[in-house]
Every structure is written in C-alpha cells, then in structure tokens.
Amino acid sequence: MSPHGIQGLQMWAEIDMQASIQPRQLDSATQSSDRFAFIIDSQDFRSAAAAAVKRVAEVDPHESHALGHLVEVVKGEPELCVVLDRHGHMSAWGMENVGCKVRKPTDIFNIAHVENLRVEFSESESRADWNTQLLSFSDELTDPPFTLLAHHFDGRIEWLGCRLDALFDPSPSRERIHKRWLWTGHDGPVEKIVRSTSGKTIISRTKSSDALIWRQMYGGRGLGLTLFSSLTCPEHTHRTWLLREGDYVVNLHYHSISLWDARTSPAAHVDTIPFDIEGQLMCLVQLPQDVPDPATLHVAVITTKKQGIVFSISLPEDLDMSLGSQAASTPCVEQFCAFALDVREALSFMLPVDPAGSVIRVSSSLDIFAKDIAISCSAEGRLRSWAATLNVDDRTVKWLPTSTVETCIDGPFSASASSTRKVALVDASRTRLTVWDMRSGQLEHKAQYGDLDLVQDLDWSTTPDNQALLAVGFPHKVLVLAQMRYDYLNTGPAWAPVREIYIKDSTPHPIGDSTWLGSGNFVVGAGNQLFVYDKSVDSSDEILSDLSVPVHKQGRMDLFELVVFLNGSLPVFHPQFLSQCMLTGKTLPVQKIIRGLYEALKFHTDGTEVDSFVSIAPDDFFMDDQASSRSRGPLKGLEYEHGDGTSEESSNDLEDVAISLNEILMKVSIPQLSSHSQMHLADIVECVSMAEKHRRSMDENAMRYLLFFRQYMIRKRQIPPDRAGISYREIVWAYHSVSQDILVDLVSRQFHGRMLWEHARECGMFLWMTDLTALVTECLSSRAAIQQLTQVQRAQFEVIARNEYTKSDEKNPIDCSLYYMALRKKNVLLGLWRVAAWNREQASTQRLLSNNFQEPRWKTAALKNAYALLGKRRFEYAASFFLLAGNLQDAVNVCVHQLQDLQLAVTVARVYEGDDGLVFRMLLENKVLPLAASEGNRWLATWAFWMLGRRDMAVRSLISPVHTLLDPVEAPKLQAKSYLANDPALVVLYKQLRGKTLQTLKGAARIAPKDEWDFVIQNARMYDRMGCDLLALDLVRNWEFLVPPKEVTSNDETMPDPRKMLRRRSSLVVDDLTSPKSPTGMKSGVGKPPPQKVFEEPEASSLLDSFGF
C-alpha cells in the first residue's frame, strides 16, 4: 500500500503458489493442488526470532545452523509469505522493501522449504468447507511466542504455536508446530444438550435441529471435548437419546422416530418409523428388559394422554463394521408394542430419570425396589416415580409407580430426577426450588430466588460413592448444590450451594442448556459456544464460608472430595455423632470416645489424621440399652485401656480428662474437623462432663435435656434471634423426666437466680414442668386442684413475676402485671402500685385495682380497659386486664395472636386454672395440635396429646402423620413435609413410651406393623444420612417389634391384654386404662380409684403381671 498511489491497493509482487511447493516424492498420495498462505509481519517476525535466539542461548549455547540462517534473514526486516499444502509441505518467501516504487529482483527470495508441517485441514465432502484462513502474530508472553490461528470453514478454529527456528529448520522434524487450542461448534445458539448414560458423550442441538456429538478428551490442560460427529436432521427434533456412548442417536419427532449412525461424520441416517399416537409427546426413555441383549435395545415414547409406544432398535455388533458384514451390520427400528399408564390424574409432564453415571439395571422382578427410569408430575404437584420391565417373549411392557409424593405445589414449571431417587421441582413462578426424597416423601430443600433469577434448567450428577449434585441453571449463571448431612440438632440445611458459575465474564449470550460429564466436569451451552468447567472448587470462596471446610483443605479442592466431606460418614468423635449417641442413651460409648480421643491427641502431630474410631471396637456401639445400663456402674470403674491392657490413673476421672482434652483441642487441629466443628466438640465434651456429674441424681431424660440445654447456653450468642430457645425435643425429654426438681434448680442457676420470662421461654420450663405434689394426690375438686398447683409451677412463676418487677431500676408494676394476675394475686400487684409514685398511671390504676372484680360492673370496667390497651398495642398489659376481669380465654388469645408467644399462653392457662382447665384444654386442641399438624412437629404433638390425657395418641403421633390424627384432618403446610419433621430421636422416645402404660401399648397396637417397619427403616436411613452409620446399624440390629395380638377386635372393652405384646417383661407397665383423662393424673401414671374405695386387694396374677413376670 502506498500513500502516494492513485489506488488504495497496488500489486507489489507475485508468488506462484503452485510452483513454490515441489514435493520430493512423486507419489500421487503426497501431491496436492490445494494451497494455503499467510503473511508474517516483519515486526512479528523480528520479535519471534529474538525470542527463539534467547531461548536457544539459555537452553543450548551451541550455535544452530537454522538459527544462524534465521538471524541473517531478520537483519533485512522482510515480510514473510508462507505457502503450504494439505500434506505438510511448506515454502517460505521473504519480501524486502515492500512499498517502494522501485522493486529489485533480489527483494523477493526463498527462505526455506520444509516438510511435516502438520495442520489438520478439512476433509469434508463439501468443497466449501475446505477453505482455511490463516492469521499469524507474535506475543512475548506466550510460550512458544509465535502463534498461528487457522480458521477452517468446516467450523473449527485452531490455535497453533511454534518456534521460528523449528518452523524454518530444513532438517527433517516431526514437531514443527503444536496444537494448543481448538474451538469448534455450532453456527447457531445451542438449545439442548443431552448426555449418554456414562456421561462420556454428549450431543448438543440447535433450534434448527443441527446437532454435534462430543466426547471427553484428556489433554495437557485437563479434560475437554472433542468433536466426534455431526448430525443434520430435516425434521424438528423433540427429544434425543444416545445409544452405545453416542455411536447411535435416536431422534423423536412429532410423528416419527429416526435412528442415526454417528460412527462416521457426518452421521448417516439409518431408519425412520412413523407412528400415530394420541396426545402430545412428553418423554423418550430407554427401557430395561428381563433378558439383556446388547444387540437389541428398546425405547418408549409417552404422551400427555398416558399412552405410549415401545420401539425395538437392532444394532450391529462392534466387530461387524471392521469385518465388513453388510447384512448383519444394518441397524433398524420397528414398533414393538403399545401400552397405557394406569394412573388417574392428568400428567403435566413426564421425564426420564437423569442417569447421572448409573447404568440401567435389569431387575428380575418389578417391585418398589426396582430402579426408577422416569418420573411424572400432575398439575396438582403429585410426583410419581416409575419403574418398568420388558418381556421380549410376550412383547409386553409393565409399568409400576414405585413411590408417590404430594408436594402441594400447583402447576409446576419443570422437574428433574436423579438415579438416587431425588427429585428437584420448580414452581410455576420459576423462582422457588424444592428438592424431594422419593423414598421417604420428605422435603429436603426449599429455596426462593429473586424475581430476575428464573430457573430454566436442572441437571443431576453423582459422585463415585453415590452422593448427589444438582446444578440449577439460570439465564446467566449456574448454581451447584451438594448434599449435606442431616442436622436435626442445629436444624441445618440438607442441601447447600458449593459453586457458582457466572458466564457473563465469558459471553453475553444467555445459557441455552447445560449438563454434567461423567468425570464431574460441567458443560454450559451459551450462544453457539460450549464452555467446559473443571470440577475443582476454591475452598476460600465466599459461597463455602458457612460450610465449615477443614483448615487443611484450604485452596483448590476436588468437587467430589468436598461432597464426601459434607455428606460422608462421620468419625466417632464428631460432635454430631456424640450428640446422637447421648440421645440414644449410649453414655458409656461416649465416655470411651472422649477418653480415646484424649489418648490419641496427647502425642498428636499436625498433619496426621486421627483414627476415626479412636481405637474403639464397633461392637461397643451395638450393645442394647439394657446391657448398656447394666454395665454402666460407677464412673470411677471405667478406665481407658491401652493396647497393652494397662490403664492410666490420670484418665479415671472423666472431668479431668475433659479438661485436659479441651486444652489440647485449643492447640491442635484435627484434620477430620473444621475449626467450627472442633469448637463445638469442645463444648460437647464440657457438657458431657457436666451432665455426668449429676448422673447419679437424675434419669436419662433429664440428662438429655441438661446436655442440650447447656450446649444452647454456650452457643447462645451464635444463634439467630428468630431461632432463640431450645426445641420442643428437649422440652419433651424434660417433660418425661422424674428429676424435674433437680432440673429446675440447675436451670435457675444458669441465669444466676434472676430468671425472667424470656429466660423461661428459652428453656421451656413451664411446658415441661409439672406439679410434683399433684402427681400423688387423690381425686380433688377443681378448686382444690388449683390450690395444689402452687407447689412448683406457681412458686416458680411467682419468681418470674418478682424478677420482671425488679429487672429495671424504676421497678415498673406494668412489667409484672400479667404474671401476678395469672397467679390471682391482685393484692400483691396493688401493693406494688402504691409504691410506684413516679408512674403517672398510679392513681387511676390503684383506684381501679381496689374494687371487687367479682361484681359485673368492675368486670366490665376491666374489659373496657383491656380493649383500650389493645388499641394502643400494649398487648401484654391488655392480657393482664382480661385476667382481672376473669376472662382467661381472651388473655390467652392475646398471647397467641398479638404477642405471638404460645409458651406464654400455655403458661398463663396452666397457672391460672390448672392442667384440667377448660381453656387450657381448648388451647391444646384448637391451637397447639393444629399448629403441630401444619408444621409436622411430632414433638409438640406428642406433648399436647400427653397433656390431654391421650397417651395412646401421644405414641401414635410419633409415627403417624400428625394431621391424620386430628378431627377434622388438618391440611399440612409444606413445612410439615420437611425432613426436619422426622427426627431420628423420635424412635428413642417411641421405644421409651410404648411400653410405659397400658394406654401407650394400646396406641402402639393401633400402629400397623408395616408402618412401624417403615418408621424404623426410615430412621436408619436418616442416621445414615447424618453420617452416623454405626447408629443406623445399631437401630436395625437391636430393634424389637411388638408381638401382634392373636385376637384383634375393634371393641376396646374386649381388646386383648396389651402387655402380651411386649417381648420383654422386665419393666413395670402402669394400668391407666380406667383413669380419667386428666393430664395431672396421667403424668403420674396412677389411675384414680373410685372415691368410696380406699384399697382393693389385687389378685396374685395381676400383681405378677404388673411387675413383668
């Protein structure tokens, strides 16, 4: 180009590309008339040559002939024209003084003629795809510095790198140029990506039904994708299925199904079968068959009308292609049979189960244990998983719904199921995601996303040890969720995000589809590009900050390794395992673990893992409760034995061992634990030591409560305000304890004798505390019962009232009004108002309280004041005036609805009128039980039923869904289906209560044996999901089912003796079938005899039965 020329471009020189390459061999196979050329700018040439000289000087100081020739050429600062053909022949020409008006013959000269320059030019049948555009540049920051970009018109872009001295070296060489990157793909936006069963092959498809088949490829920079074949289908493709790792492709169209042979590129069309079926196409899925036949496969097509057709696909053997057998190698498709799904509801969609690395297994029988191959969803949100088996001889297919889950989600947008029986469901708004376990019907995860984050894709993967991963796709990002261990004690999530992939940094195009590879890598299709992400995650990422990753795992982590840590089996010294052992009553193994861990850490060095069992035999965890209780003995008799059989005197005292262990935990990091878990372990050790000191003076239920109450107090500052207070689980343990007097004293000490109502609510004291005097009294009138209630509850409640009054320096009587009114101590409150001269309401309030509120006039005045205070939103003060007027029901309603304090309502009702009061019973029946049913809170339900005197229902509520036990049946909320509603500690309480009285045995007898079996198996699965495999094995190994009665009648009067259902008769069973439904009497387990009879001589047989002989 000359700035002085008349034209913009002027021809300066010509190079005959055909004549410039003259191969040495005359063989026609090495001859090619196709020529390709590119220009190397003089500046790029000089830069690349300088980098080559520098590298040779550093690596090999001896002078190279090729390098010397290159240096001589660079001195003239020529432009280079490089010509090459398809067979690796290259000719390079130098051009000096380009742009000068006068050209000398010596300005164009040959630099080199070399061979074996391997560039993969297109071999497509279309001549339009043969063209290749080449572009060169040099960059000192890259290695090697010289780069050649080859844009092949068949859809590939190659990044080639080389050194100039090697490129122009005339001596024979096989490594002149190296392929660094290869880009290839679609010419339109990717709409769908489908993976093979193993995840080693994927097929990507555009809206125009142009498809590319890719396979995994491992290179120097990790795993990538290589193009295997292409497929262009003239019809719109509705669904696609890959057979034999992508060697064959099945495409489902609206009125036909086609088979393609992808062993060649492009894929060859093999066969098309038209069909006619009612309804819109929903699903294409491969079917298992009773007799495995690798040469014949079957796929099923299912429509919205629940109709389906099975097609048989005959494929050649792998050797047929190499042997050249035409007859045996011709694949074909034929219609096999038709079928209809036996289901009543209309189906919104039906999808195949994401194989996620699992092979379709052939089951010998079709039952609920068969492997799921598809899921369906109705408009009402009813999920069904389906298994199928094919009988080739009878040419029939049988379908069986293996599980059904009512999700209560209307009009779901999409769903996806994994081979681990997990289903992800997206609601109609596309902003709420739920994850369900189809085995148990439990809701494991619920997430609400922003209005702009619309869920559009769900993809499953599994780790080698069958842990699940879920990728949630949005328009411009992908959120990867991993399974977490169940955590009932801290109500932790069952799924958590572990990785977030943003594609806006790479492309502005939205995500079309995505999928997992079998290796754990993730493929995202956006625009016409495919992005492959490796499976490593950064443990310092903010998204992992709440997941307690171990300290020694900081840096890059393998995704599968992270999932194993988050959901794998726990070491026995993990705080969650120790807590669950305490709940199951395994105090002796916990003590052994603490001593074993102390011995293991005494000489521990950083970086070495601690034995997961700390030298404790697994059989120690399988001892049943009775054997464990017999072997407990005094604490000082428990000694940790070393390998040589000796014991150390310093470890005899558990308290000393706990103190020493906690000192070590503050200095040493355990590799299997995160820093947060290690701090929690130290808290557990301290709590176990503290609870063990009081073991001789309290029962196991009290120890359970004390252990977790102490943990709550230690970690109180870390708990969010909306989750303040212990759970109903701990309240139920304390409620069934006979050591409540000790618990009241210990709990009060935790608050330094200054317990306020907020403290009482945190510890649940007035829910689990009962009147110890009333437990042994005879039948009393209601007024006498109220007077008897003053021994424990009223005395403790009066302590609360005094502390509320003195909590501030001004000592405001308003703060304690509700409590003194509930205690019916108006005169005490009146005395407090007399000394509150600073309060502007003193005079009016004092005059009002001086009246007799038994008179209707003053009751009306109190009610008017109560409603006026409600209008001023002084709710607690308003409730006290309702009590002043004798209107307990309205006071309770204010506590429930306005104050949102159910515990306060229960406490006020119990203190004001006693456990037999009508208002209290109505509160339990109309508020507490419906709340328990809607939330699925079995702990709250069993407490309420026991308080109502329905011990049989209290036992049934531990197994049966709570909403089914109420009349009318309450519709459960989505929360009631959460996995948190099925705490495995319920099985401990059930085993404890079912043989306690005749009523509880009666309730247990009404539970179907299959329901109890499912209950035990489900709890074993939950233990396993918590990482407590030993406890799961212990449960199924030592569980004893009730002996079913030989004669079952519907009449309670003629019902067989429930005591005969027990396999062991070592404990006393209280006869409470004739006692009235009084919670006060029911708590004691002592029936109330008729008033006229003081003592009745029992028969010898009944006396023996009562003691279990």
Side-chain angles (χ1 to χ4, degrees), residues 79 117 185 188 250 417 493 503 611 626 683 837-838 930 999 1005 1014 1024 1039 1093 1102:
E79 318 286 339
L117 183 65
V250 177
I503 68 162
D611 179 19
Q626 292 189 1
D683 296 340
W838 57 271
Q999 261 206 73
D1014 293 340
D1024 178 69
W1039 184 262
K1093 294 184 179 180
S1102 65

PDB file of all heavy atoms in Angstrom, residues 79 117 185 188 250 417 493 503 611 626 683 837-838 930 999 1005 1014 1024 1039 1093 1102:
ATOM      1  N   GLU A  79       9.121  -8.902   5.137  1.00  0.00           N
ATOM      2  CA  GLU A  79       7.820  -9.511   5.372  1.00  0.00           C
ATOM      3  C   GLU A  79       7.899 -10.933   4.825  1.00  0.00           C
ATOM      4  O   GLU A  79       8.598 -11.186   3.834  1.00  0.00           O
ATOM      5  CB  GLU A  79       6.711  -8.748   4.668  1.00  0.00           C
ATOM      6  CG  GLU A  79       6.814  -7.239   4.762  1.00  0.00           C
ATOM      7  CD  GLU A  79       6.444  -6.714   6.122  1.00  0.00           C
ATOM      8  OE1 GLU A  79       5.755  -7.417   6.867  1.00  0.00           O
ATOM      9  OE2 GLU A  79       6.863  -5.577   6.451  1.00  0.00           O
ATOM     10  N   LEU A 117       4.856 -30.224   8.176  1.00  0.00           N
ATOM     11  CA  LEU A 117       4.130 -29.162   8.889  1.00  0.00           C
ATOM     12  C   LEU A 117       2.671 -29.602   8.981  1.00  0.00           C
ATOM     13  O   LEU A 117       1.896 -29.423   8.029  1.00  0.00           O
ATOM     14  CB  LEU A 117       4.251 -27.827   8.155  1.00  0.00           C
ATOM     15  CG  LEU A 117       3.586 -26.639   8.845  1.00  0.00           C
ATOM     16  CD1 LEU A 117       4.265 -26.333  10.169  1.00  0.00           C
ATOM     17  CD2 LEU A 117       3.619 -25.405   7.941  1.00  0.00           C
ATOM     18  N   GLY A 185     -17.832 -25.774  16.949  1.00  0.00           N
ATOM     19  CA  GLY A 185     -19.190 -25.783  17.490  1.00  0.00           C
ATOM     20  C   GLY A 185     -20.208 -25.440  16.437  1.00  0.00           C
ATOM     21  O   GLY A 185     -20.010 -25.661  15.245  1.00  0.00           O
ATOM     22  N   GLY A 188     -25.285 -21.680  15.265  1.00  0.00           N
ATOM     23  CA  GLY A 188     -26.489 -21.101  15.847  1.00  0.00           C
ATOM     24  C   GLY A 188     -26.518 -21.367  17.342  1.00  0.00           C
ATOM     25  O   GLY A 188     -25.729 -22.162  17.873  1.00  0.00           O
ATOM     26  N   VAL A 250     -30.903 -41.621  18.620  1.00  0.00           N
ATOM     27  CA  VAL A 250     -32.336 -41.755  18.359  1.00  0.00           C
ATOM     28  C   VAL A 250     -32.969 -40.378  18.503  1.00  0.00           C
ATOM     29  O   VAL A 250     -32.832 -39.741  19.549  1.00  0.00           O
ATOM     30  CB  VAL A 250     -32.990 -42.754  19.335  1.00  0.00           C
ATOM     31  CG1 VAL A 250     -34.495 -42.822  19.085  1.00  0.00           C
ATOM     32  CG2 VAL A 250     -32.361 -44.127  19.182  1.00  0.00           C
ATOM     33  N   ALA A 417     -35.201 -35.660  37.883  1.00  0.00           N
ATOM     34  CA  ALA A 417     -34.991 -36.736  38.852  1.00  0.00           C
ATOM     35  C   ALA A 417     -33.633 -37.365  38.640  1.00  0.00           C
ATOM     36  O   ALA A 417     -33.129 -37.448  37.513  1.00  0.00           O
ATOM     37  CB  ALA A 417     -36.083 -37.800  38.715  1.00  0.00           C
ATOM     38  N   PRO A 493     -29.259 -27.051  56.928  1.00  0.00           N
ATOM     39  CA  PRO A 493     -29.818 -27.369  55.613  1.00  0.00           C
ATOM     40  C   PRO A 493     -29.353 -28.728  55.132  1.00  0.00           C
ATOM     41  O   PRO A 493     -28.254 -29.180  55.458  1.00  0.00           O
ATOM     42  CB  PRO A 493     -29.279 -26.238  54.722  1.00  0.00           C
ATOM     43  CG  PRO A 493     -27.996 -25.830  55.375  1.00  0.00           C
ATOM     44  CD  PRO A 493     -28.211 -26.009  56.865  1.00  0.00           C
ATOM     45  N   ILE A 503     -21.341 -16.841  33.607  1.00  0.00           N
ATOM     46  CA  ILE A 503     -20.844 -16.873  32.224  1.00  0.00           C
ATOM     47  C   ILE A 503     -20.777 -15.484  31.614  1.00  0.00           C
ATOM     48  O   ILE A 503     -20.286 -15.334  30.495  1.00  0.00           O
ATOM     49  CB  ILE A 503     -21.726 -17.786  31.355  1.00  0.00           C
ATOM     50  CG1 ILE A 503     -23.121 -17.161  31.174  1.00  0.00           C
ATOM     51  CG2 ILE A 503     -21.812 -19.173  31.920  1.00  0.00           C
ATOM     52  CD1 ILE A 503     -23.866 -17.761  30.026  1.00  0.00           C
ATOM     53  N   ASP A 611      -7.383 -41.568  64.108  1.00  0.00           N
ATOM     54  CA  ASP A 611      -8.192 -42.752  63.845  1.00  0.00           C
ATOM     55  C   ASP A 611      -9.668 -42.436  64.058  1.00  0.00           C
ATOM     56  O   ASP A 611     -10.060 -41.925  65.106  1.00  0.00           O
ATOM     57  CB  ASP A 611      -7.758 -43.890  64.769  1.00  0.00           C
ATOM     58  CG  ASP A 611      -8.588 -45.145  64.567  1.00  0.00           C
ATOM     59  OD1 ASP A 611      -9.237 -45.277  63.510  1.00  0.00           O
ATOM     60  OD2 ASP A 611      -8.602 -45.993  65.482  1.00  0.00           O
ATOM     61  N   GLN A 626     -30.491 -52.245  77.570  1.00  0.00           N
ATOM     62  CA  GLN A 626     -30.496 -52.915  78.873  1.00  0.00           C
ATOM     63  C   GLN A 626     -29.092 -53.376  79.246  1.00  0.00           C
ATOM     64  O   GLN A 626     -28.657 -53.214  80.377  1.00  0.00           O
ATOM     65  CB  GLN A 626     -31.460 -54.099  78.819  1.00  0.00           C
ATOM     66  CG  GLN A 626     -32.918 -53.663  78.699  1.00  0.00           C
ATOM     67  CD  GLN A 626     -33.863 -54.833  78.857  1.00  0.00           C
ATOM     68  OE1 GLN A 626     -33.426 -55.956  79.071  1.00  0.00           O
ATOM     69  NE2 GLN A 626     -35.151 -54.558  78.770  1.00  0.00           N
ATOM     70  N   ASP A 683     -17.252 -27.927  73.282  1.00  0.00           N
ATOM     71  CA  ASP A 683     -18.478 -27.660  74.044  1.00  0.00           C
ATOM     72  C   ASP A 683     -19.163 -28.961  74.447  1.00  0.00           C
ATOM     73  O   ASP A 683     -19.644 -29.098  75.572  1.00  0.00           O
ATOM     74  CB  ASP A 683     -19.434 -26.801  73.213  1.00  0.00           C
ATOM     75  CG  ASP A 683     -18.860 -25.426  72.907  1.00  0.00           C
ATOM     76  OD1 ASP A 683     -17.935 -25.018  73.620  1.00  0.00           O
ATOM     77  OD2 ASP A 683     -19.350 -24.775  71.964  1.00  0.00           O
ATOM     78  N   ALA A 837     -44.882   5.773  92.889  1.00  0.00           N
ATOM     79  CA  ALA A 837     -45.350   7.166  92.842  1.00  0.00           C
ATOM     80  C   ALA A 837     -44.866   7.891  91.595  1.00  0.00           C
ATOM     81  O   ALA A 837     -45.475   8.881  91.170  1.00  0.00           O
ATOM     82  CB  ALA A 837     -44.861   7.897  94.100  1.00  0.00           C
ATOM     83  N   TRP A 838     -43.803   7.440  90.986  1.00  0.00           N
ATOM     84  CA  TRP A 838     -43.257   8.093  89.799  1.00  0.00           C
ATOM     85  C   TRP A 838     -44.111   7.869  88.555  1.00  0.00           C
ATOM     86  O   TRP A 838     -44.003   8.587  87.566  1.00  0.00           O
ATOM     87  CB  TRP A 838     -41.848   7.572  89.534  1.00  0.00           C
ATOM     88  CG  TRP A 838     -41.806   6.073  89.379  1.00  0.00           C
ATOM     89  CD1 TRP A 838     -41.633   5.152  90.363  1.00  0.00           C
ATOM     90  CD2 TRP A 838     -41.990   5.342  88.157  1.00  0.00           C
ATOM     91  NE1 TRP A 838     -41.690   3.882  89.851  1.00  0.00           N
ATOM     92  CE2 TRP A 838     -41.903   3.979  88.476  1.00  0.00           C
ATOM     93  CE3 TRP A 838     -42.222   5.714  86.839  1.00  0.00           C
ATOM     94  CZ2 TRP A 838     -42.046   2.972  87.528  1.00  0.00           C
ATOM     95  CZ3 TRP A 838     -42.350   4.727  85.887  1.00  0.00           C
ATOM     96  CH2 TRP A 838     -42.264   3.357  86.229  1.00  0.00           C
ATOM     97  N   PRO A 930     -53.377 -28.198  66.039  1.00  0.00           N
ATOM     98  CA  PRO A 930     -53.370 -27.762  64.627  1.00  0.00           C
ATOM     99  C   PRO A 930     -52.034 -27.173  64.196  1.00  0.00           C
ATOM    100  O   PRO A 930     -51.610 -27.364  63.052  1.00  0.00           O
ATOM    101  CB  PRO A 930     -54.496 -26.719  64.577  1.00  0.00           C
ATOM    102  CG  PRO A 930     -55.422 -27.106  65.679  1.00  0.00           C
ATOM    103  CD  PRO A 930     -54.526 -27.625  66.767  1.00  0.00           C
ATOM    104  N   GLN A 999     -52.171 -47.605  78.192  1.00  0.00           N
ATOM    105  CA  GLN A 999     -52.653 -46.706  77.141  1.00  0.00           C
ATOM    106  C   GLN A 999     -51.649 -46.573  76.015  1.00  0.00           C
ATOM    107  O   GLN A 999     -52.008 -46.563  74.829  1.00  0.00           O
ATOM    108  CB  GLN A 999     -52.948 -45.322  77.734  1.00  0.00           C
ATOM    109  CG  GLN A 999     -54.411 -45.088  78.027  1.00  0.00           C
ATOM    110  CD  GLN A 999     -54.744 -43.609  77.989  1.00  0.00           C
ATOM    111  OE1 GLN A 999     -54.793 -43.011  76.936  1.00  0.00           O
ATOM    112  NE2 GLN A 999     -54.990 -43.043  79.150  1.00  0.00           N
ATOM    113  N   ALA A1005     -50.432 -50.585  69.613  1.00  0.00           N
ATOM    114  CA  ALA A1005     -51.114 -51.703  68.958  1.00  0.00           C
ATOM    115  C   ALA A1005     -51.907 -51.238  67.740  1.00  0.00           C
ATOM    116  O   ALA A1005     -52.155 -52.029  66.828  1.00  0.00           O
ATOM    117  CB  ALA A1005     -52.037 -52.405  69.955  1.00  0.00           C
ATOM    118  N   ASP A1014     -41.598 -49.399  58.464  1.00  0.00           N
ATOM    119  CA  ASP A1014     -41.155 -48.250  57.660  1.00  0.00           C
ATOM    120  C   ASP A1014     -40.546 -47.169  58.552  1.00  0.00           C
ATOM    121  O   ASP A1014     -39.590 -46.487  58.157  1.00  0.00           O
ATOM    122  CB  ASP A1014     -42.338 -47.673  56.876  1.00  0.00           C
ATOM    123  CG  ASP A1014     -42.840 -48.634  55.810  1.00  0.00           C
ATOM    124  OD1 ASP A1014     -42.083 -49.538  55.425  1.00  0.00           O
ATOM    125  OD2 ASP A1014     -44.010 -48.490  55.385  1.00  0.00           O
ATOM    126  N   ASP A1024     -28.065 -42.763  58.652  1.00  0.00           N
ATOM    127  CA  ASP A1024     -27.043 -42.897  57.628  1.00  0.00           C
ATOM    128  C   ASP A1024     -26.810 -41.568  56.930  1.00  0.00           C
ATOM    129  O   ASP A1024     -25.670 -41.201  56.640  1.00  0.00           O
ATOM    130  CB  ASP A1024     -27.476 -43.962  56.615  1.00  0.00           C
ATOM    131  CG  ASP A1024     -26.476 -44.133  55.490  1.00  0.00           C
ATOM    132  OD1 ASP A1024     -25.373 -44.631  55.751  1.00  0.00           O
ATOM    133  OD2 ASP A1024     -26.799 -43.750  54.351  1.00  0.00           O
ATOM    134  N   TRP A1039     -33.491 -53.497  67.329  1.00  0.00           N
ATOM    135  CA  TRP A1039     -34.891 -53.117  67.470  1.00  0.00           C
ATOM    136  C   TRP A1039     -35.769 -54.347  67.698  1.00  0.00           C
ATOM    137  O   TRP A1039     -35.581 -55.388  67.070  1.00  0.00           O
ATOM    138  CB  TRP A1039     -35.362 -52.363  66.232  1.00  0.00           C
ATOM    139  CG  TRP A1039     -36.780 -51.868  66.379  1.00  0.00           C
ATOM    140  CD1 TRP A1039     -37.910 -52.442  65.906  1.00  0.00           C
ATOM    141  CD2 TRP A1039     -37.192 -50.706  67.089  1.00  0.00           C
ATOM    142  NE1 TRP A1039     -39.003 -51.708  66.259  1.00  0.00           N
ATOM    143  CE2 TRP A1039     -38.604 -50.634  66.985  1.00  0.00           C
ATOM    144  CE3 TRP A1039     -36.515 -49.728  67.800  1.00  0.00           C
ATOM    145  CZ2 TRP A1039     -39.330 -49.610  67.569  1.00  0.00           C
ATOM    146  CZ3 TRP A1039     -37.240 -48.705  68.371  1.00  0.00           C
ATOM    147  CH2 TRP A1039     -38.630 -48.652  68.255  1.00  0.00           C
ATOM    148  N   LYS A1093     -63.822 -46.335  97.450  1.00  0.00           N
ATOM    149  CA  LYS A1093     -62.891 -47.419  97.696  1.00  0.00           C
ATOM    150  C   LYS A1093     -61.517 -46.847  97.986  1.00  0.00           C
ATOM    151  O   LYS A1093     -60.971 -46.110  97.195  1.00  0.00           O
ATOM    152  CB  LYS A1093     -62.807 -48.354  96.493  1.00  0.00           C
ATOM    153  CG  LYS A1093     -64.112 -49.111  96.234  1.00  0.00           C
ATOM    154  CD  LYS A1093     -63.939 -50.083  95.102  1.00  0.00           C
ATOM    155  CE  LYS A1093     -65.223 -50.860  94.834  1.00  0.00           C
ATOM    156  NZ  LYS A1093     -65.052 -51.820  93.732  1.00  0.00           N
ATOM    157  N   SER A1102     -52.618 -60.534  88.601  1.00  0.00           N
ATOM    158  CA  SER A1102     -52.458 -59.148  88.144  1.00  0.00           C
ATOM    159  C   SER A1102     -51.241 -58.493  88.773  1.00  0.00           C
ATOM    160  O   SER A1102     -50.581 -57.659  88.163  1.00  0.00           O
ATOM    161  CB  SER A1102     -53.710 -58.346  88.459  1.00  0.00           C
ATOM    162  OG  SER A1102     -53.885 -58.255  89.870  1.00  0.00           O
TER     163      SER A1102
END
